[in-house]
Amino acid sequence: MTTYTICVFTENTFGILNKITTILTRRRINIESLTVSETERKGISRFTIVIHHDSRDVVEKLVRQIRKVIEVLAVFGYLNDEIIFNEIAMFKISTPIDAKPIDIETINKVHKAWVVYWHLTYVIIQKTGTEEEIFEFFDYIKPHGILEFVRSGRVAVSKSPQTLVDYLPEADWEYYQ
């Protein structure tokens, strides 16, 4: 199975998430991760969808189908080597008084993770990186007792020199400041 990242730029309208996910559901394609946020252009949202599939043709058909949705302004399908991507994860780790101390220096310098909250009985550590880097840290920190773990979806930017403005229809779009 190959990992594909599909970036969809849409007008920020009610129901657009349902329209896009229905297209994948109809084709029985599982969404591995989904991240949605507004772009640098006011009123334009970016969906970053990660899927695994063994057929490039199926993924290309999927991209063409998503392009047909009226609110969709642009859609791009990428392989991992065509984008820069990361995720964020947070770990709530038990720190009882009688436990082995957490090595903050290794967490910071080796794993590039940071304590973002410290309590008497637990700490919350934030880690950004690829899925593999996050799960490598997961395995490292697991012996300390993971109380909670949450991971975001992928955020990705194309390595292409083109920008969003190159693909959007001409209009007087507002920028965030």
Side-chain angles (χ1 to χ4, degrees):
M1 292 275 209
T2 303
T3 300
Y4 294 92
T5 301
I6 301 170
C7 294
V8 183
F9 296 91
T10 70
E11 296 172 7
N12 192 1
T13 58
F14 177 79
I16 188 65
L17 174 62
N18 186 50
K19 288 180 183 181
I20 292 171
T21 56
T22 298
I23 292 170
L24 282 95
T25 303
R26 277 193 221 130
R27 285 169 175 68
R28 302 183 57 83
I29 296 174
N30 188 45
I31 297 172
E32 298 299 324
S33 87
L34 170 66
T35 306
V36 183
S37 67
E38 270 200 316
T39 66
E40 68 279 5
R41 291 285 181 100
K42 192 171 189 175
I44 306 296
S45 292
R46 177 190 191 114
F47 291 69
T48 305
I49 304 166
V50 177
I51 62 171
H52 299 301
H53 209 281
D54 55 6
S55 170
R56 186 177 182 103
D57 290 339
V58 169
V59 175
E60 288 174 357
K61 285 180 187 177
L62 175 69
V63 167
R64 286 194 300 273
Q65 189 69 34
I66 293 171
R67 278 192 187 121
K68 293 179 183 178
V69 175
I70 291 171
E71 298 88 350
V72 170
L73 303 169
V75 183
F76 306 97
Y78 300 105
L79 296 170
N80 284 349
D81 64 344
E82 300 170 322
I83 55 176
I84 302 299
F85 59 92
N86 265 329
E87 297 181 0
I88 185 171
M90 295 186 120
F91 300 79
K92 184 187 279 186
I93 308 301
S94 179
T95 57
I97 293 173
D98 59 345
K100 177 183 171 191
I102 293 177
D103 183 357
I104 299 300
E105 189 171 339
T106 299
I107 288 172
N108 291 158
K109 291 183 179 177
V110 175
H111 294 282
K112 306 291 189 248
W114 314 105
V115 173
V116 294
Y117 183 79
W118 203 291
H119 187 269
L120 291 175
T121 59
Y122 65 90
V123 295
I124 298 176
I125 300 171
Q126 176 179 295
K127 167 74 178 136
T128 59
T130 64
E131 182 180 359
E132 293 78 20
E133 292 167 339
I134 287 170
F135 281 106
E136 180 182 304
F137 182 69
F138 184 99
D139 291 339
Y140 167 77
I141 205 73
K142 190 176 181 179
H144 289 281
I146 298 174
L147 301 173
E148 289 185 52
F149 168 70
V150 64
R151 190 176 117 232
S152 74
R154 177 180 283 190
V155 291
V157 176
S158 164
K159 290 180 181 178
S160 167
Q162 277 85 18
T163 64
L164 177 58
V165 73
D166 296 323
Y167 299 105
L168 293 181
E170 289 192 31
D172 189 22
W173 300 100
E174 288 184 50
Y175 285 95
Y176 281 106
Q177 297 180 4

